[in-house]
Amino acid sequence: MERRTVLKSALLAIGTGAAAGCSTNHQSSAPPPSPSSKAASPTTPAATSPGPVAKPKPPTEAVEIGHGPRTVQQVALTFHGNGDPALATKLLDLVEHAGAKASVLAVGTWLVAHPEMAGRVLQGGHDLGNHTMHHKPMRRLGAAEARREVHDCAAVLRRTARSPGRWFRASGTQQTTPLIRSAAAASGYATCVSYDVDGLDWQDPPAATVVKAVLDGIRPGSIVSLHLGHPVTIAALPEILSGLHTKRLAPVTLSELLQ
């Protein structure tokens, strides 16, 4: 009996040792940690997002343009928008019959009295712009009144044409001043349109005088100043358009010439 007890104890001791060794071998044969189980690498700094982009400030002073590029065979016939609408309509008919385009810079009071003229100008594919509310001599105006002249005409254009137009021309002066250019910019106009050819039709001379003034002074890129509401302009226009055709100069809108 004693011998049997000793043998049983010995067999029990062997079994316990084998079980402990299996556990040890299991730990040693474990696969190496995967890269993902490693300690996290130092955090990559987040990409720095750009700060808010500041909007460019609107210009505080418009620029003055007296003519377009001299390298194009184009010119712009511009008409101060005022006077008898029947004369204006007849003139626009002549321009369109010749396949030409024009730009009308309207006086605000003219559009108030004849709001249908805004649609007539735009329907012909012409430009419609701002020539002040009351056509006052802008060089004599103070800053507040100059701003009102531009602003009030822009408001009329919005009502009649749904847009203030792209172009502003000062009244009573060919060249602008810093005050006038500031007044234009305050109403959103980036450009004050001057001219390099004066047709002199506002003086009501003979038609031949208007034709000569235009055709003698015209060059590629020219901006010509003419007027609605003067019969002499209508009388001179066919010969002016014929002369431009001979010189291979296409009458286009300001927007096309200055694009």
Side-chain angles (χ1 to χ4, degrees):
M1 288 295 291
E2 187 177 359
R3 184 180 175 187
R4 191 180 304 164
T5 301
V6 172
L7 179 60
K8 184 177 179 181
S9 299
L11 291 172
L12 183 61
I14 292 171
T16 304
C22 182
S23 174
T24 301
N25 289 342
H26 175 74
Q27 288 177 355
S28 63
S29 63
S34 63
S36 61
S37 66
K38 293 182 179 178
S41 58
T43 303
T44 302
T48 304
S49 60
V53 178
K55 291 184 178 179
K57 294 182 178 179
T60 57
E61 188 173 305
V63 298
E64 179 181 300
I65 292 179
H67 60 79
R70 299 300 191 188
T71 54
V72 298
Q73 290 300 113
Q74 296 175 331
V75 297
L77 301 180
T78 66
F79 295 89
H80 300 217
N82 211 346
D84 184 349
L87 291 179
T89 299
K90 188 172 182 179
L91 185 140
L92 292 172
D93 289 344
L94 284 174
V95 170
E96 292 159 17
H97 183 73
K101 300 294 182 187
S103 298
V104 175
L105 302 160
V107 176
T109 52
W110 182 65
L111 284 181
V112 170
H114 310 288
E116 74 281 2
M117 290 309 300
R120 173 62 188 88
V121 172
L122 295 175
Q123 286 166 9
H126 312 293
D127 274 350
L128 181 64
N130 185 325
H131 192 36
T132 74
M133 188 66 194
H134 298 94
H135 205 261
K136 295 180 178 178
M138 288 202 75
R139 282 180 174 270
R140 301 178 190 174
L141 305 182
E145 191 173 9
R147 284 193 175 207
R148 281 197 301 273
E149 281 295 305
V150 184
H151 173 272
D152 290 354
C153 185
V156 174
L157 284 164
R158 287 191 186 91
R159 289 201 304 271
T160 57
R162 299 184 179 180
S163 168
R166 181 178 173 186
W167 310 109
F168 168 76
R169 173 170 288 166
S171 52
T173 178
Q174 181 177 357
Q175 272 78 45
T176 57
T177 63
L179 186 150
I180 295 171
R181 294 192 291 274
S182 296
S187 287
Y189 294 98
T191 307
C192 294
V193 180
S194 181
Y195 48 90
D196 62 329
V197 178
D198 188 347
L200 300 174
D201 57 338
W202 56 276
Q203 298 177 352
D204 292 321
T209 301
V210 178
V211 173
K212 180 175 175 55
V214 172
L215 295 183
D216 283 358
I218 202 84
R219 298 170 56 192
S222 282
I223 297 176
V224 184
S225 173
L226 294 164
H227 296 73
L228 303 181
H230 292 258
V232 66
T233 312
I234 296 173
L237 193 60
E239 196 168 346
I240 289 173
L241 292 170
S242 176
L244 294 179
H245 180 73
T246 301
K247 291 175 179 284
R248 299 182 182 278
L249 294 172
V252 299
T253 62
L254 283 169
S255 294
E256 188 172 353
L257 178 66
L258 302 176
Q259 63 183 338

